[in-house]
Every structure is written in C-alpha cells, then in structure tokens.
Amino acid sequence: MDFFNTPIEYLKGVGAERGGVLRKEAGIATFWDLLNYFPFRYVDRSTYHQVKDVSYVEGSVQLKGKIVSLSELGAGRAKRLKAIFEDETGSIELVWFKGAKWIKNSLQIGTLYRVYGNPKRFGTAWSIPHPELTLFANVAHEKGLQPIYPSGEKLAAKGLTSRGIEKLTFELLQQCNGKIAEILPSTLMEQYALMGREAAYQAIHVPRHQQETNKAQFRLKFDELFFLQLELLIRKQVAASKAKGYEFPLVGEPFQTFYDQHIPFELTQAQKRVLKEIRADLRTGKHMNRLLQGDVGSGKTLVALLTMLFAVGNGFQAALMAPTEILAQQHFVTIQELVAPMNLGVAILTGSSKTKARRELHEQLENGEIDILIGTHALLEPKVVFKNLGIVVIDEQHRFGVAQRARLWKKNTSPPHILVMTATPIPRTLAMTFYGDLDVSVIDELPPGRKPIQTIHYYEQSRLKVFAFIKQEIALGRQVYIVYPLISESETLDYQNLMDGYEAITRNFPRPEYQVSIVHGQMKPEAKDYEMQLFVEGKTHIMVATTVIEVGVNVPNASVMVIESAERFGLSQLHQLRGRVGRGAEKSYCILMTGDKVSKEGKKRLETMVSTNDGFKISEVDLEIRGPGDIMGTQQSGLINLKLADLSRDGQIVGIAREAARSILLDDPNFEKPEHSYLRAELKRLLKSKPNWGKIS
Ligand code: ADP
Ligand code: MG
C-alpha cells in the first residue's frame, strides 16, 4: 500500500480511539490527510513584546510576566474574571468571560507566564480577552515559530489540541523523509521560483522563520490553484471538442448594413474588441459559451444586438432573454428603434403576451419570419419552437440558473451559442476560478462623454438639506429615485420603513406641485408596471421604491439616486442602484443616507462608493469584505474546495497558476512528455476524488 494512504490509526501516538476522533472531527483518515491538515497561523515564539508597547502592536502580542492579582467581577451574564498581569514595563488586564472558575483555580500568582492574545481597548485601558497562558518554565526552550492548528472540544478532549496535532504531524514528517515526490516539472519550478514539494511540507508544519513559511505556503497554494486551473482548462477543451457550434462564416448583410448606415454612435474600443472575440468564436464552428462582463452603462445592449445580427446574417434566428418583463420591454423598444430602417422581424414574448398574439408569434417563429425574439424566461417554454435558433443572449447572469440554461440547449438540433451578459463585475480571481471553463470578455470602458456620478454620504440630520437639493433638481426638470432596503428576513419592518418614508416624502413634496410614484414588492405586477411607466414617461418627479428597480431600468432624465439606510446594502447592490442615474447628459448624483451608527464594514462600503465609480474596483473591495463564498453563492463556492489558498487574498497566485496551467497544456496537451508524468498521475488522482465535480457554469 502507498505509504500516504496508511490509515491514520497506524501512526505512532494515534491508535483506534484518537483515530476515530480525527476522522470524524477533522476529516483526517490517512497519513496524507494529516500532512494536508495545515496550521492556520503561526505564533512567533522568538520575540516578546513589552506591556508598555501593547497599544502600538498590530494584531496579537506575546508577553512574559507575572499575574499579581485576580478578581471576579459582575454577576450573571456580565460575570467575568480579571487578572492583573505585569512585566518590568507596566501592567495590563487579562479578562475571561467564560470558564472563570476553572481558570481561577489553575492560575498561579507570582509565577512567570507566557501570555499570547489580541489586546482590545476598553475606554482608555487595554486588556487581553481570553489570552493563551502557558507556564514560562514549559516554553523557555522554544524557539522560532509555532504552528497553530484548528482543533475543537472533541479533539482537545483526546489530547488533540493544536499542540497534540503538532506533535503527530512532527512524528509523521520524520517518517516521510524522501517520500514526498516532486510533481511539478523543473521548468515551472524555476520559472516561478518554487520551493521543492517535500521541503514545503516540512516548512509549513515545522517552520523555522516567517520567510521560509511564506515560501512554503506559496508553493502549496500554487499546487492547489494550479491543479484547479488545469482541471478547468481541460474541461473547457473537452467541452469545445464535444459540442460543435453552428458556423457563422459571414459577417452578413444585416450586420454590414446596420454598422455602415444605422449605428447611432461609434463603438468604443472595448466594444470593438469584445465583438472581435465573439466573432472569432462564431466563425469557426466552435460552440460559444461566453461571459460578457461590463459595468452598468458600458453598452452591452449594442454588443448583444450586433452579435445577434451575425446570426441573422448567416440564416439563423437569435433570442435575447431578460430577467424581468420591464427589462424585456426596454430591450424590445431599444432594439426595434435601432433596426427600424432595416427589414428585420423583431418580436417580444413575455408572460403577459396575450394568447392570440402568442399563437401568431409561434407561427412566425416556426416559419422564420421572426429573426430576433426578445423576452423573459417565457422563451424557455417547450411550446416556443424556433425554425433555426442560432444564438441566445442572456442579460444578467445572476438570475439564470444552470438548469434554465440547459433548457436553451434543446431549442435546436445542436445547442445554440450562448452569450451571458452581466453588469455585476466579478473580481478577476473569481471569474478565473468559477467561470474558468467559460470564455470571458470584458468591456472595461464607458462610452465617451459620460459625466461621472458624484456620490455623497449624508447622515440623517442633513435630511432637510437633501430634500432641498432634490427640489432644486426637480425645478431643473430632472427626476429622482429614492430607494429603501427590503431584505426578506425583516420584511414587515422594512415595509413599514418604506411607508413611513413615502409619507414623509409626500408631506415634503406636496401635490400638485410634485408627483410621486411608488413601487415595491408587495404590489401587483400591473400596478407596479403602471407606476413605473408614469415615471419612465416623466409624469412623476420622484420614484419611491424598494430594490425592484435595481436591474436595468433606463430613465435618462433621472439625475438623483437617494439610497436610504445605505449601510444595509451590499456594495454591488449600491453600485447597481447608482447605475440607474448618470444615463443622460446631465450631471448626476448618488446620495447615500445613513443613521449615525454605521459598522466598520458599512463605513468601508460607503467610503468605497464615494471614492470610485469603477465597478471592477468595487468588486475587488467587495471580495475583500465578503469573501468568495458570499459573492458566488454557497452552492457554487462549495464546488471549489480550497484548503490553503484564499481567493480573496491570493488573487495573484490564481493568475500565475492559470498562466502556468495554460502554458503546460499548450506545450503538452495530453501530458505525454516524461517530465509531465507526475502531473498526469496527480491529476488523475484528483479527478477521481471528485466524481461530481463540474457543472460550474
Ligand atoms: P449596459 O451595459 O448597462 O446594458 P446599455 O447597453 O444600456 O448599457 O448602454 C448604456 C447607454 O450607453 C445607452 O443609452 C446606449 O445607447 C449608450 N451607448 C452604448 N454604446 C455607446 C457608444 N459606443 N457610444 C455612445 N453611447 C453608447
Ligand atoms: Mg443592460
């Protein structure tokens, strides 16, 4: 048997009982699992801080000194144990809110201790809550870094504290000598200055100094990300070789005519580049599966139209699918106007299309009179049959699941090409990982002449000032959005806030001088559409709404977006909402209203919004704050199981790993070269352990 597959019970110091707990609590079943159970931080045992410096140190401190007194304070829930700890330079409090009794009995007054913890400031004094305390006599011999492993109550009960796990790992490493094979070819090792694999395992578990540990972490994170990227790229290759796409060899007459005669403005460089990328897919007969990212207002609609014209010019039909009825309507109106002078069949199909109109439409779809069909997910119904559907453009990827997209594939004998457009920029790292098997195009440039939206944060006490400003804008002929949060958990409360707000607004903006629309989730769809339409047509000045307006509505005359309780919105939502203004020629404003109490994270979000309009920058901050799981949704993030690498922090390594994976595949797509035999074996092993891996897009 392979040494590393040895059951963990066989390791000296483990045995049946501990083995059981390791399996159950830590997922460690074999030697290899233990080797890949990594410390989550290191404590620098080589240096001690002095108490007088505690306020300057960032993060954790390590102190050496004595406890001079102990006292129990408070009662009930507020009960706590306080110790005064001092070294030659001063004293500081240690505090325990739990386990006070046990700790009190075990602490020795006047004995030298090592204290490790995170100092917190209470008022003017510093204290360390729940410090790690060790008798100095027991640790005096320690040098360098100490790894800290994740443990837990059940593990600790069997002696498998961080310390216990450290000992086992140390024992295992003694036996590993020379057994951890190098799997990367030397070209990669040299190119990226990677530490050897065995040395990296040694250094990550038995660290000598921080620099070495960093190199070890880099190496092992690289492995993790490199193999992930290899898998993604291989999947992409396989998909490309399997699914034959319809070939659109021609640019085609409709495209040519539109481009030469009817296009309302010159394309931006970014739009041109993206179109070239799309065209390159379509002309070759490769099946396109492309994600188009572009910030709000970057001009994705025009790209969608031009892409659909490629299909039409090659004898195919095209469909554009939007997440809501209002958006489908807007796309329909926009596109119909753009191609009005041309002889094209453009139609719309939504849930509210009437039966008779539907029947006619179905017929025209089947006989090919309709070239471009725009609609909602009503397009997906089986009775909607095309003569020859060649491409589907999906606006706003976040609302369309994998299953829905799969239904599109059945709309023709071969799957139609798919272009997914999203206005929520996804950080590069996540795009490379979660959509690593899709092609990604990015529109990273806004059309010229846009005036940047000015974003301002106001606290509640400035409300009258804000209202005065709104009146001023309305007097200039502009329109205003006022948006309230609506988060399902506290819906009733939010609904109340919205209604209170609406009342305050109608009081401050009385009729007939001011007309106010309201739209929220509890209204009937027809009522919503009606109110929305009033605003779109400029018949109302103010639109009070919940986030139903978030995606896509286009009212170029609206110049002010007020977001109430802005601290409760996520960054990408704030950015989307802001994108509703700044669509016309006038300077536009986004006003973020908050109460006085805003959390640290909330402040960071507000500051980010105030300081930049760049959706990609915003998405990076969002990633930093929320982490990849929250952004991609737990369902998707569960598919990518990373032990060591952190997508919110290791973006750079992701990029390097992808580049490395690509160059290997280019050089030796089937891993036939002798120097790649280890790579092939490792990949096989990895793929075997995840049978259900896949279905990411
Ligand atoms: P989004 O990417 O958010 O869907 P749209 O396609 O709605 O953006 O475009 C936003 C606005 O920019 C529209 O009014 C559109 O007509 C305009 N626009 C698009 N491309 C250009 C361009 N190349 N030059 C000038 N204006 C453009
Ligand atoms: Mg759009």
Side-chain angles (χ1 to χ4, degrees):
M1 185 178 25
D2 178 0
F3 171 78
F4 292 109
N5 280 331
T6 312
I8 193 67
E9 284 78 5
Y10 292 95
L11 183 67
K12 192 174 147 205
V14 178
E17 206 180 335
R18 280 182 153 191
V21 184
L22 280 171
R23 282 170 190 269
K24 200 154 162 252
E25 299 299 317
I28 299 173
T30 63
F31 284 9
W32 185 247
D33 293 337
L34 180 61
L35 266 189
N36 287 281
Y37 193 75
F38 297 113
F40 62 95
R41 66 178 168 87
Y42 298 92
V43 178
D44 185 353
R45 294 310 190 194
S46 62
T47 55
Y48 286 87
H49 299 103
Q50 297 191 314
V51 170
K52 72 173 167 49
D53 297 331
V54 159
S55 56
Y56 312 119
V57 178
E58 242 183 87
S60 306
V61 296
Q62 178 166 264
L63 306 169
K64 181 170 88 179
K66 293 171 183 167
I67 289 171
V68 294
S69 74
L70 270 176
S71 52
E72 268 182 286
L73 304 171
R77 280 179 152 268
K79 201 162 160 172
R80 61 195 190 275
L81 175 69
K82 188 176 95 174
I84 304 292
F85 176 86
E86 63 175 44
D87 66 6
E88 310 80 61
T89 69
S91 70
I92 187 169
E93 278 179 20
L94 313 178
V95 195
W96 291 266
F97 300 97
K98 274 192 245 161
K101 200 168 161 199
W102 184 81
I103 292 161
K104 192 177 161 195
N105 291 332
S106 62
L107 285 184
Q108 304 169 16
I109 291 186
T111 311
L112 258 190
Y113 275 102
R114 181 183 71 190
V115 167
Y116 181 85
N118 247 321
K120 295 259 153 39
R121 191 185 168 126
F122 293 100
T124 54
W126 287 82
S127 70
I128 306 180
H130 291 263
E132 188 184 300
L133 269 177
T134 327
L135 282 173
F136 187 75
N138 292 343
V139 294
H141 64 280
E142 282 180 8
K143 290 186 198 76
L145 297 177
Q146 186 192 348
I148 307 294
Y149 292 89
S151 177
E153 221 172 297
K154 288 180 183 154
L155 287 162
K158 295 277 174 272
L160 298 166
T161 55
S162 170
R163 230 352 194 269
I165 295 169
E166 185 187 341
K167 279 186 193 144
L168 292 182
T169 309
F170 188 77
E171 167 64 32
L172 177 58
L173 280 167
Q174 306 283 298
Q175 303 179 29
C176 283
N177 232 330
K179 289 198 175 72
I180 304 177
E182 187 48 70
I183 50 178
L184 295 182
S186 53
T187 45
L188 278 189
M189 305 273 299
E190 277 158 29
Q191 190 174 355
Y192 300 107
L194 296 173
M195 187 183 234
R197 195 154 180 255
E198 180 160 295
Y201 274 101
Q202 293 280 356
I204 208 162
H205 289 296
V206 190
R208 283 178 299 200
H209 49 83
Q210 194 62 48
Q211 210 183 345
E212 188 189 50
T213 311
N214 291 347
K215 279 202 87 173
Q217 278 177 331
F218 184 90
R219 162 65 209 250
L220 296 179
K221 285 177 181 177
F222 180 92
D223 280 9
E224 197 167 44
L225 294 169
F226 171 74
F227 282 101
L228 178 60
Q229 289 300 333
L230 265 186
E231 287 174 20
L232 288 165
L233 290 169
I234 289 170
R235 272 163 49 83
K236 192 165 150 183
Q237 273 181 357
V238 170
S241 66
K242 264 200 202 136
K244 195 96 186 72
Y246 292 116
E247 221 173 295
F248 300 172
L250 311 172
V251 167
E253 185 274 322
F255 184 101
Q256 216 47 273
T257 307
F258 180 75
Y259 199 85
D260 294 343
Q261 299 171 28
H262 307 303
I263 198 163
F265 19 62
E266 166 137 25
L267 293 181
T268 62
Q269 287 310 315
Q271 283 171 319
K272 283 185 192 162
R273 187 187 64 240
V274 163
L275 267 174
K276 271 199 194 120
E277 288 164 0
I278 292 170
R279 165 106 176 99
D281 284 354
L282 300 179
R283 72 196 301 176
T284 54
K286 161 184 175 187
H287 179 244
M288 179 168 79
N289 219 351
R290 188 172 281 280
L291 178 70
L292 173 58
Q293 288 201 66
D295 216 337
V296 221
S298 60
K300 293 186 292 295
T301 317
L302 200 54
V303 172
L305 173 61
L306 286 161
T307 302
M308 293 195 289
L309 291 180
F310 282 140
V312 177
N314 284 275
F316 288 85
Q317 289 166 302
L320 171 60
M321 198 154 71
T324 66
E325 180 124 12
I326 291 170
L327 270 177
Q329 274 297 345
Q330 281 201 342
H331 278 317
F332 177 62
V333 172
T334 310
I335 287 179
Q336 220 182 13
E337 271 171 21
L338 285 169
V339 302
M342 294 164 60
N343 183 23
L344 282 178
V346 182
I348 179 163
L349 174 65
T350 69
S352 61
S353 300
K354 297 280 180 298
T355 320
K356 184 161 166 265
R358 258 181 207 245
R359 209 173 300 133
E360 223 166 90
L361 189 127
H362 286 171
E363 218 177 275
Q364 294 172 330
L365 267 182
E366 285 193 65
N367 68 26
E369 277 173 56
I370 291 173
D371 299 300
I372 294 177
L373 180 64
I374 294 161
T376 55
H377 46 267
L379 294 185
L380 293 172
E381 288 166 20
K383 44 179 202 267
V384 180
V385 179
F386 292 80
K387 181 174 180 223
N388 194 13
L389 180 63
I391 189 162
V392 181
V393 181
I394 304 174
D395 197 6
E396 290 304 335
Q397 140 265 350
H398 280 307
R399 308 208 178 183
F400 277 97
V402 180
Q404 283 171 314
R405 229 172 293 159
R407 280 162 72 183
L408 281 172
W409 282 43
K410 304 206 183 86
K411 290 279 176 195
N412 205 343
T413 39
S414 284
H417 297 290
I418 307 261
L419 180 68
V420 178
M421 307 196 293
T422 168
T424 312
I426 303 165
R428 218 173 81 85
T429 322
L430 297 193
M432 269 191 291
T433 317
F434 289 92
Y435 299 107
D437 59 337
L438 295 190
D439 292 300
V440 179
S441 288
V442 179
I443 308 185
D444 50 6
E445 179 188 355
L446 293 181
R450 291 281 165 82
K451 299 206 178 91
I453 302 164
Q454 186 177 347
T455 303
I456 314 153
H457 171 203
Y458 280 121
Y459 291 103
E460 189 55 40
Q461 53 274 29
S462 308
R463 180 164 296 279
L464 289 179
K465 198 166 139 194
V466 172
F467 280 174
F469 176 70
I470 292 176
K471 286 186 177 161
Q472 205 179 309
E473 284 287 300
I474 293 176
L476 290 170
R478 320 274 146 71
Q479 289 165 282
V480 178
Y481 293 102
I482 303 180
V483 179
Y484 287 80
L486 208 144
I487 297 161
S488 55
E489 291 144 40
S490 52
E491 216 160 310
T492 13
L493 203 72
D494 285 340
Y495 184 67
Q496 196 52 49
N497 281 342
L498 171 75
M499 284 310 166
D500 291 350
Y502 179 59
E503 212 202 274
I505 287 156
T506 45
R507 232 183 303 119
N508 281 277
F509 296 86
R511 277 181 223 233
E513 197 182 350
Y514 299 102
Q515 300 293 331
V516 183
S517 279
I518 180 164
V519 175
H520 58 79
Q522 299 190 359
M523 286 162 71
K524 290 227 167 63
E526 306 86 68
K528 251 192 265 184
D529 279 355
Y530 177 74
E531 292 277 320
M532 198 82 103
Q533 208 52 42
L534 288 178
F535 189 70
V536 171
E537 287 166 12
K539 291 186 179 140
T540 52
H541 303 107
I542 299 177
M543 158 79 86
V544 176
T546 55
T547 43
V548 283
I549 61 148
E550 183 187 339
V551 177
V553 248
N554 191 24
V555 182
N557 191 48
S559 65
V560 183
M561 166 63 68
V562 180
I563 305 176
E564 297 285 345
S565 305
E567 74 276 14
R568 291 180 54 197
F569 288 88
L571 261 179
S572 71
Q573 224 178 357
L574 289 172
H575 180 61
Q576 288 295 312
L577 285 169
R578 177 167 62 184
R580 298 306 114 216
V581 296
R583 306 190 147 221
E586 311 305 334
K587 178 163 170 61
S588 295
Y589 303 87
C590 174
I591 297 174
L592 306 170
M593 298 295 300
T594 72
D596 293 335
K597 277 201 183 139
V598 179
S599 69
K600 209 170 129 205
E601 256 184 48
K603 280 208 179 101
K604 177 132 196 212
R605 289 197 294 265
L606 296 168
E607 278 162 17
T608 307
M609 287 298 294
V610 170
S611 67
T612 180
N613 276 303
D614 180 335
F616 283 93
K617 269 194 201 136
I618 290 172
S619 76
E620 297 292 341
V621 178
D622 198 27
L623 175 59
E624 226 176 88
I625 297 178
R626 287 201 292 157
D630 274 358
I631 292 183
M632 302 310 293
T634 37
Q635 218 189 337
Q636 294 217 18
S637 62
L639 290 169
I640 286 170
N641 179 12
L642 296 170
K643 277 198 155 132
L644 211 52
D646 174 349
L647 293 178
S648 43
R649 269 182 264 147
D650 298 321
Q652 212 195 347
I653 312 180
V654 177
I656 293 172
R658 187 166 179 90
E659 179 191 300
R662 189 178 282 142
S663 73
I664 292 280
L665 279 175
L666 209 63
D667 170 47
D668 184 16
N670 298 312
F671 306 98
E672 283 159 348
K673 295 192 173 173
E675 65 266 35
H676 294 158
S677 62
Y678 278 107
L679 271 186
R680 184 166 61 184
E682 177 69 5
L683 241 164
K684 243 173 116 176
R685 193 184 67 79
L686 286 171
L687 289 176
K688 219 163 43 190
S689 69
K690 340 179 169 175
N692 292 323
W693 201 90
K695 283 270 155 61
I696 289 189
S697 60

